[in-house]
Amino acid sequence: METAAEENTEQSQEKKGCFECCIKCLGGVPYASLVATILCFSGVALFCGCGHVALAGTITILEQRFSTNATDHALLSEVIKLMQYVIYGIASFFFLYGIILLAEGFYTTSAVKELHGEFKTTICGRCISGMFVFLTYVLGVAWLGVFGFSAVPVFMFYNIWSTCEVIKSLPVNMTASADQICVDIRQYGIIPWNAVPGRACGSALADMCNTPEFYLSYHLFIVACAGAGATVIALLIYMMATTYNYAVLKFKSREDCCTKF
């Protein structure tokens, strides 16, 4: 009986030890950095993937509807191809940068102290943490510009779509008025003024709005803009996390000073 009681006590202590270990591990997770990483990966994936496909659809619409001469939109085509290559670089960079920031968040939590003994900071460690703070702030400002830039094609496509809705709302017997409603893409400055035809009117404009290329590109630009906004929010969270981590490492690098942010 005593042996059975001792075994039960040992089992309960082992279970309690495992439970306490799990609680300590969960307490050392940098939740802010983890949420920011998930949000950053999701936002960048939406921006890069949807933006890439939407740009390809935009070229198709321009070639078929607004600029039949390839030389008129040659520069725009080269710029869009360059932007598509830049998108590949952005996706790769943020995948790596997000993992690095998440790792930096883990290594500045109390879990490091509890698992590896004394937690002491060095000048090199504080400099690296400060570099992450500076780089994250720069990227945050840059992505604010990207977010604003990604709203431009959404605005353009919305104007075209709203014009098509006006044409659809006209009575059937008012074809003359419908032909006078046009969208001149040259006014946005993306193709030169001598581009032919340069604009779409009436039924041709309505047919363009019903094409899969227009519908898909319009909605993908909206999703890409939303992805850029999500990335901005993720970088703001990263800013708070890295700034807090740096402040703790710099001013409280003594015992029981580790951050869980």
Side-chain angles (χ1 to χ4, degrees):
M1 294 293 293
E2 292 181 358
T3 305
E6 290 177 355
E7 290 179 355
N8 291 333
T9 303
E10 291 177 357
Q11 290 177 358
S12 63
Q13 288 179 351
E14 288 179 359
K15 292 180 180 179
K16 185 177 179 181
C18 292
F19 178 75
E20 290 178 352
C21 181
C22 292
I23 293 299
K24 288 180 180 180
C25 290
L26 290 175
V29 174
Y31 291 103
S33 297
L34 183 61
V35 171
T37 301
I38 296 173
L39 192 60
C40 181
F41 284 175
S42 302
V44 172
L46 288 175
F47 174 79
C48 294
C50 296
H52 185 277
V53 178
L55 287 172
T58 303
I59 285 292
T60 302
I61 294 172
L62 285 174
E63 291 176 347
Q64 295 178 354
R65 305 288 177 171
F66 294 103
S67 181
T68 55
N69 190 356
T71 57
D72 292 336
H73 59 270
L75 179 60
L76 179 63
S77 299
E78 292 298 325
V79 171
I80 288 179
K81 289 180 181 178
L82 178 62
M83 291 174 64
Q84 289 176 328
Y85 285 114
V86 170
I87 283 175
Y88 297 143
I90 290 175
S92 303
F93 172 78
F94 271 92
F95 179 76
L96 179 62
Y97 189 69
I99 292 177
I100 292 174
L101 285 183
L102 182 61
E104 195 263 349
F106 270 105
Y107 278 98
T108 52
T109 59
S110 58
V112 176
K113 178 181 177 180
E114 293 169 358
L115 293 176
H116 300 287
E118 286 298 319
F119 181 79
K120 295 181 180 179
T121 61
T122 62
I123 296 177
C124 181
R126 291 194 292 271
C127 288
I128 292 175
S129 183
M131 180 191 68
F132 283 136
V133 174
F134 174 76
L135 185 57
T136 305
Y137 271 81
V138 171
L139 290 174
V141 174
W143 267 95
L144 282 174
V146 172
F147 176 64
F149 180 76
S150 64
V152 174
V154 176
F155 172 75
M156 294 170 53
F157 273 80
Y158 174 76
N159 284 342
I160 298 174
W161 174 81
S162 59
T163 305
C164 292
E165 291 299 311
V166 171
I167 296 176
K168 292 178 183 178
S169 63
L170 293 176
V172 180
N173 58 355
M174 295 184 64
T175 55
S177 299
D179 291 336
Q180 294 175 359
I181 300 176
C182 302
V183 169
D184 195 338
I185 204 70
R186 295 171 294 186
Q187 65 182 340
Y188 297 108
I190 60 176
I191 57 175
W193 282 103
N194 59 355
V196 178
R199 64 177 185 173
C201 302
S203 59
L205 179 60
D207 292 339
M208 183 195 72
C209 291
N210 292 328
T211 58
E213 292 83 6
F214 179 86
Y215 184 84
L216 183 62
S217 298
Y218 178 36
H219 289 85
L220 286 179
F221 273 127
I222 294 175
V223 176
C225 184
T231 306
V232 171
I233 296 174
L235 288 172
L236 289 175
I237 299 174
Y238 274 138
M239 288 180 195
M240 294 186 289
T242 54
T243 302
Y244 181 79
N245 290 340
Y246 177 73
V248 171
L249 293 176
K250 183 173 178 62
F251 299 110
K252 297 182 180 181
S253 57
R254 287 183 261 177
E255 198 170 330
D256 299 329
C257 69
C258 301
T259 173
K260 292 184 180 181
F261 204 61

